[in-house]
Amino acid sequence: MLENADLGKLIIRLTLGGLLLFHGIAKLFHGVGFVESQLASHGLPTFLAYGVYIGELLAPLMIILGYQTRIGALIVVINMIVAIALVHTHELMSLSRSGGWALELQGFFLFIALALVFLGPGRYKLHS
């Protein structure tokens, strides 16, 4: 039976980092206005919106490269907790129209990043 935990960790890193990176690239091209409005509606300083670039561009790149993966993954965990708290709390116990959890994507990013905090990058990584 084929067993390679390091290859599995690489696949997890590339999937999480790659999918989350698309969100960061979209914000790079279209701005963080939505995030700013959500922060303002909760009475928080809007300059915090620029932290999304760390959580959705820098951290995914760290994860993909395997450079300081645990730190990058922890940043993603924090980013997702903030996103859920600001935008999605009303959906925590909701189902989507197709019957899945309404926060499947956010849950995926959050829990896979949390798993990487504990797993680490594996052998296939950029050496630091």
Side-chain angles (χ1 to χ4, degrees), residues 27-47:
K27 287 178 180 74
L28 193 60
F29 285 114
H30 302 292
V32 293
F34 176 75
V35 180
E36 288 176 322
S37 69
Q38 291 301 310
L39 287 163
S41 74
H42 287 83
L44 297 168
T46 57
F47 76 87

Side-chain angles (χ1 to χ4, degrees), residues 3 14 20-21 30 40 46 65 67 73 75 77-78 81 83 100-102 114 116 119-120 127:
E3 182 177 324
L14 294 176
L20 188 54
L21 191 59
H30 302 292
T46 57
L65 296 173
Y67 177 76
I75 292 169
V77 167
I78 293 166
I81 289 170
W101 184 33
L114 186 61
L116 276 177
L119 288 172
H127 291 290

Side-chain angles (χ1 to χ4, degrees), residues 80-95:
M80 293 316 304
I81 289 170
V82 170
I84 291 168
L86 287 179
V87 183
H88 301 288
T89 52
H90 67 283
E91 298 174 289
L92 279 173
M93 303 306 266
S94 299
L95 297 177

